[in-house]
Structure formats: C-alpha cells, structure tokens
Amino acid sequence: MISKWSASLVRAGRSVRGSSAPVTYTLIALCCLTFLAGPASGLSPAYGTGDELLAVQRAYFRRWGVIPEELLDGSAGSALTPATALFVHGSWVHLLGNMLFLYVFGAMTEERMGRVQFTLFYVGCGYLALLGYAVANADSEQSLVGASGAISAVLGAFLYLFPRARVTSLLPFLFFLPVRFPAWVVLPFWAALQWLAAGRASDGPGVAYLAHLIGFGLGFGYASVRYGRPTGPTRVKAAPAPAPEGENQP
C-alpha cells in the first residue's frame, strides 16, 4: 500500500513539473492539503466534535489568520500571518470556490509571467491585499483567512493581459446556463459586484470584499506597468460567476 501511494505521489510530482503552470497547481495542492489536514474540514476525529471542534477551529483561524488589531501592533509573529492566511480556508465552499478560480485564471497568467515572477506576484499581492484590509479595519479582532486577495490579483492581471479571452460563465439569474463573454465584460462586472458588496458589508463575520478590490487593483496595476500591450483573443475553459468565495472571517 505504501509503495502504491509513493508511486502515485511521484507520478503527480512529474505531472506538475511537466505542466505549463506548475506553480498554479502546486498552490492549489497546498491549499487543499492544508484544509484537509486542519480542523475546518471536519474530517479528522482528533479535533473532536460539536462545541469542542468549534473552539479548535476558532483557535486555528486566530493562529494562522490575520487579526487586524494584532497585525498592526507590529509583532514579528503577526507580521507573517498575511502569508500563512493565504493557505487557510474557512469552509469547503470557501476552498472550492477559490481553487476553481485559481485553476481557471492562474495557469494562463503564470504562463505569461513565468514561474518565479508569478510566485512572487501571487504571494506579494495576496499579502498586500490582506494588509490593506487590516489597515482599513485597524480595530477589528476578527480573524481573516483565505487566498482570494491573491486570486483577485490574478484576475486583475488576467484582465489586462487577456482582455478578449472568452470566459464561460455560469450565471445564477440565467438558471446557471453556460454563456461566453470576453474577460473585459466578465471581470469588471465581478469587480463592480465586489465594490457594491463592500459598501454594504458590516464589521461582523463574512466576506472581506475590500481585500478583493485591493488585490484586483494591485494585479491590474502591476500587469499594466510590467507588460506591454495585451494579447489577442484566447479561449478559457470555464469560470463560475459572479465571484470567487471571499476572504473568510470565521
């Protein structure tokens, strides 16, 4: 059994190394493995059940997530949390929504940027998006986890690099019928929804839409400064709509 698992891992590793977007697939794998091993997945009996599990989850999010009030105090441990929070998700829906968007838009963006640059771009923009949210909500003691600040940056960069790429979207108000629109229609529509939602967001638990907007702006701005003219029409496999699951405030 162990040899079979080892062989499977070796084949998976070779597949990632031989792909055109190994960083994207590695990020997806890390987020999934972190979630499955942590208490948020609810799969491990070691974390208990009921109130005991909820207490463990809260402590886990506070340990690895961003707490704006503590981050801005300047402690070394808190300064690392915007990086660790990128790999922590609060629920199955939170994880799967983010990973689907990263899978759809990350590969092409990575191919355009290159592996090293894409890695630095993803982590850097994700960190700054969470930091920006913390500065805007300096008195908040609510923990913040999720990769959607970084993924929003990928969407912003994708919009600049591939504005005419055809994106298949599943729109709820059209009974989830698949429709194809260019990226310059889909992604600004997504950003507008984040802007409207941010204006209505309360200070309680929920989605940190401001982190999405900051990430999206950083990604678009970086791509516009770093690269020349956008490329021609490109097809994208599929993307849900209207938005990825947000930064979660458990």
Side-chain angles (χ1 to χ4, degrees):
M1 179 63 70
I2 295 177
S3 61
K4 290 182 179 179
W5 277 100
S6 300
S8 298
L9 290 174
V10 170
R11 287 195 297 269
R14 289 174 178 172
S15 176
V16 169
R17 289 195 301 270
S19 69
S20 58
V23 175
T24 296
Y25 302 138
T26 299
L27 289 170
I28 292 173
L30 287 174
C31 288
C32 290
L33 290 174
T34 300
F35 180 78
L36 293 174
S41 66
L43 296 178
S44 175
Y47 296 115
T49 58
D51 292 339
E52 181 184 4
L53 176 60
L54 292 176
V56 172
Q57 289 175 345
R58 285 193 293 269
Y60 178 77
F61 294 138
R62 291 189 68 85
R63 172 65 180 84
W64 300 109
V66 173
I67 302 175
E69 187 178 58
E70 296 181 5
L71 175 62
L72 298 179
D73 284 342
S75 66
S78 296
L80 294 175
T81 57
T84 59
L86 294 178
F87 300 94
V88 179
H89 290 82
S91 68
W92 284 94
V93 173
H94 188 205
L95 172 74
L96 296 176
N98 275 347
M99 294 306 99
L100 178 57
F101 265 73
L102 181 56
Y103 173 76
V104 170
F105 295 100
M108 288 176 58
T109 307
E110 179 185 344
E111 290 177 19
R112 180 67 175 86
M113 290 185 174
R115 299 173 185 178
V116 174
Q117 186 175 166
F118 179 77
T119 302
L120 296 175
F121 165 81
Y122 181 91
V123 175
C125 288
Y127 188 104
L128 292 175
L130 292 173
L131 179 61
Y133 177 89
V135 170
N137 297 272
D139 297 329
S140 176
E141 297 180 357
Q142 187 69 47
S143 57
L144 187 68
V145 298
S148 32
I151 296 171
S152 297
V154 173
L155 299 185
F158 187 96
L159 174 60
Y160 182 82
L161 296 172
F162 310 103
R164 291 180 288 172
R166 305 292 293 185
V167 178
T168 300
S169 301
L170 305 177
L171 301 175
F173 55 83
L174 292 180
F175 303 101
F176 294 97
L177 293 175
V179 291
R180 292 186 70 83
F181 294 108
W184 65 265
V185 172
V186 175
L187 296 180
F189 174 70
W190 171 85
L193 289 178
Q194 305 308 294
W195 178 271
L196 293 173
R200 299 195 302 268
S202 66
D203 191 36
V207 178
Y209 295 102
L210 179 59
H212 300 179
L213 292 171
I214 294 173
F216 188 84
L218 287 171
F220 187 89
Y222 174 83
S224 64
V225 171
R226 176 66 178 79
Y227 298 95
R229 287 189 174 185
T231 63
T234 309
R235 289 185 177 274
V236 178
K237 294 179 181 178
E245 184 69 16
E247 304 293 16
N248 200 325
Q249 296 177 289

